[in-house]
Amino acid sequence: MKFYSTNKKTSPVSLHDAVVKGLAADKGLYMPEVIRRFPPAFYQNMKEMTLREISFVVAEAFFGEDVEADKLKEIVYDALNFDIPLVRVADNRYSLELFHGPTLAFKDVGARFMARLLGYFNRQEKRQVNVLVATSGDTGSAVANGFLDVPGVKVFVLYPQGKVSEIQEKQFTTLGHNITALEVSGTFDDCQALVKRAFMDPELNEKLYLTSANSINVARFLPQSFYYFYAYAQLCGMVEHPEQVVFSVPSGNFGNLTAGLIAKRMGLPVKRFIAANNRNDVFLQYLSTGVYTPRPSVATIANAMDVGDPSNFARILDLYGHSHEAICADISGVSYTDDQIRRTMHDTFRNEQYLLDPHGACGYQALVDGLQPGEIGICLETAHPAKFLDTVESAIGEPVPVPEKLRDFMQGEKQSILMPVGFNAFKHFLLNQQ
């Protein structure tokens, strides 16, 4: 399959080139030329299938023309060595728990898949690949752990100084080996800008083999569609007539929402989506006005969503032919303050005995506020609450048990390199890593 740029100023490329390049030469994001619809029989049989079985079918639709079936199955099955359970919270509201992977965040799915796919391509070429990834929290840990000790791959994680939780930071600054953490004196948007500019720099690209593991990479964001199908499959086993399904998606860089929209385009019977935002609500403003106005991000307790210029907005525009009306027909938006997020964590824990992290709290409150009669809501619980220990504990007034996986990370010693916001310093650093 070929992948085209959302800016449509360059020729379509192969899966290999889309994955290795990350960003198109015209600064657009890659999209698959074909989004296949599955036959009704697939949806009728899904409730009998495992996460791995469903994910392999979906993966074949995107990657099957370029990767041998046995290799692709190996990649999918190895990446998804954990479950993603759907849990009933109250009445017609469910939580899709995406925090059962190695770093306890949803990004384990895309990061582990991409690491294995890139490793597959790299074994054929035998040259060093440099992965650049900007993180507002969970992406860095998922990518770093997914790529740890992958032969021929170096990973550089850029994160905003003082703007990720201690647990998140420890998950990618304590690994060493082929993982380097760069602590940038700015915001997530500054980190993302450095990565994007690196891909556009002729000298860097002439001397280095660069790619990205952010959700701008097709191998990172497309696998996120897997768990929308699996969520629906589980719902079919819980509800006799799983109609009127609404997905509420905590939204930062919008890779997660875009993957869900693509799942819908493939025939998944979803009625609509809710983009749940914190105070960084540029997408909500777009829905209201039809005008997209990016602005600097502001810090919130749902820090992984602190994005003022979401990259994947370009993919949503492309998917809907830049039609504001069509986008609004499928997606609504909400925005919550820190106080509202805290109240949701507190009330849900007290009333439903269910513990949410700050991001999942945005998604869950959107269901509480926005579900219509007859609708069934699924919120994406994107990270384990213990990753935001101080915030969650202060909200619910009780200690939160820390999983063993996180305790192990906390015992490691932080190793990071301070990096100014200026691009020249970042470029000089990269050129001296070879």
Side-chain angles (χ1 to χ4, degrees):
M1 182 186 292
K2 294 291 186 181
F3 291 80
Y4 67 90
S5 167
T6 52
N7 286 339
K8 298 182 173 65
K9 295 178 182 177
T10 59
S11 300
V13 300
S14 66
L15 172 65
H16 170 276
D17 287 350
V19 172
V20 171
K21 291 178 180 178
L23 199 64
D26 62 0
K27 301 185 182 181
L29 305 188
Y30 286 117
M31 288 282 282
E33 279 196 333
V34 178
I35 298 176
R36 296 189 177 91
R37 290 184 67 87
F38 293 122
F42 174 62
Y43 298 102
Q44 294 164 6
N45 297 329
M46 267 205 310
K47 69 177 180 179
E48 309 298 333
M49 299 171 69
T50 66
L51 169 63
R52 284 168 160 174
E53 289 168 342
I54 290 171
S55 299
F56 176 57
V57 173
V58 179
E60 277 199 309
F62 294 120
F63 312 113
E65 294 178 12
D66 301 274
V67 183
E68 304 94 319
D70 59 332
K71 294 295 183 184
L72 184 58
K73 187 173 184 178
E74 183 181 310
I75 289 169
V76 170
Y77 276 52
D78 190 37
L80 297 173
N81 63 349
F82 52 91
D83 196 21
I84 302 176
L86 183 70
V87 177
R88 181 181 177 275
V89 180
D91 299 328
N92 55 346
R93 300 190 294 269
Y94 294 78
S95 171
L96 184 64
E97 295 187 344
L98 292 160
F99 55 71
H100 293 275
T103 71
L104 289 83
F106 79 92
K107 293 171 181 178
D108 281 325
V109 174
R112 288 172 63 79
F113 182 92
M114 182 188 168
R116 283 149 184 76
L117 183 61
L118 189 59
Y120 165 79
F121 287 140
N122 207 33
R123 282 192 295 273
Q124 298 173 326
E125 297 193 6
K126 297 181 180 177
R127 59 185 295 190
Q128 181 178 299
V129 176
N130 299 280
V131 175
L132 308 181
V133 58
T135 185
S136 56
D138 290 326
T139 294
S141 54
V143 169
N145 284 269
F147 279 89
L148 184 63
D149 290 330
V150 172
V153 177
K154 279 188 175 182
V155 177
F156 300 93
V157 181
L158 291 78
Y159 71 103
Q161 186 177 30
K163 294 182 175 65
V164 303
S165 74
E166 183 185 5
I167 290 178
Q168 287 176 318
E169 187 177 41
K170 282 291 186 77
Q171 284 188 304
F172 56 80
T173 61
T174 61
L175 300 174
H177 296 266
N178 60 327
I179 311 298
T180 301
L182 302 176
E183 195 170 356
V184 178
S185 57
T187 66
F188 168 75
D189 293 317
D190 294 321
C191 298
Q192 187 160 257
L194 287 174
V195 170
K196 287 184 176 180
R197 190 166 171 187
F199 290 132
M200 296 298 111
D201 187 275
E203 184 182 5
L204 278 178
N205 285 272
E206 180 183 339
K207 295 183 177 180
L208 306 177
Y209 207 29
L210 297 178
T211 191
S212 171
N214 281 90
S215 57
I216 61 175
N217 197 300
V218 293
R220 247 291 313 277
F221 103 91
L222 284 176
Q224 293 173 196
S225 64
F226 298 166
Y227 42 75
Y228 285 93
F229 291 93
Y230 185 54
Y232 181 79
Q234 293 179 83
L235 188 64
C236 288
M238 299 176 176
V239 179
E240 191 171 346
H241 299 291
E243 300 162 353
Q244 308 276 344
V245 177
V246 176
F247 277 99
S248 180
V249 186
S251 299
N253 226 4
F254 281 82
N256 229 349
L257 179 61
T258 308
L261 296 172
I262 284 180
K264 186 178 192 296
R265 191 65 60 89
M266 298 174 84
L268 187 68
V270 180
K271 180 183 179 183
R272 62 188 180 93
F273 293 85
I274 304 173
N277 298 264
N278 56 21
R279 288 174 55 219
N280 296 280
D281 58 355
V282 293
F283 183 72
L284 177 59
Q285 295 300 313
Y286 165 78
L287 293 176
S288 301
T289 66
V291 178
Y292 178 65
T293 308
R295 58 178 182 267
S297 60
V298 295
T300 75
I301 60 172
N303 66 287
M305 295 155 56
D306 293 349
V307 183
D309 187 9
S311 290
N312 286 287
F313 178 68
R315 283 189 168 117
I316 295 175
L317 285 177
D318 181 81
L319 196 61
Y320 287 88
H322 291 253
S323 168
H324 177 255
E325 181 181 1
I327 291 172
C328 290
D330 276 354
I331 314 168
S332 61
V334 291
S335 173
Y336 296 108
T337 65
D338 283 357
D339 286 344
Q340 290 172 314
I341 294 169
R342 290 189 186 96
R343 192 176 310 121
T344 298
M345 289 190 287
H346 175 274
D347 292 350
T348 307
F349 183 70
R350 289 279 175 254
N351 300 332
E352 276 79 46
Q353 292 77 54
Y354 190 79
L355 190 61
L356 291 161
D357 89 296
H359 310 81
C362 288
Y364 187 75
Q365 190 61 45
L367 295 180
V368 173
D369 294 339
L371 276 187
Q372 300 166 7
E375 291 182 334
I376 298 173
I378 297 175
C379 100
L380 271 56
E381 173 60 332
T382 53
H384 194 286
K387 296 191 77 169
F388 311 91
L389 203 59
D390 293 343
T391 299
V392 176
E393 287 183 343
S394 66
I396 68 171
E398 291 188 21
V400 173
V402 179
E404 185 177 352
K405 292 176 187 175
L406 288 185
R407 288 200 301 270
D408 290 344
F409 281 116
M410 291 302 291
Q411 292 170 3
E413 182 179 349
K414 174 184 169 181
Q415 304 172 58
S416 67
I417 297 171
L418 295 177
M419 182 65 58
V421 171
F423 177 69
N424 288 339
F426 179 49
K427 176 178 177 178
H428 179 76
F429 172 80
L430 290 178
L431 290 172
N432 283 279
Q433 294 306 299
Q434 305 308 303

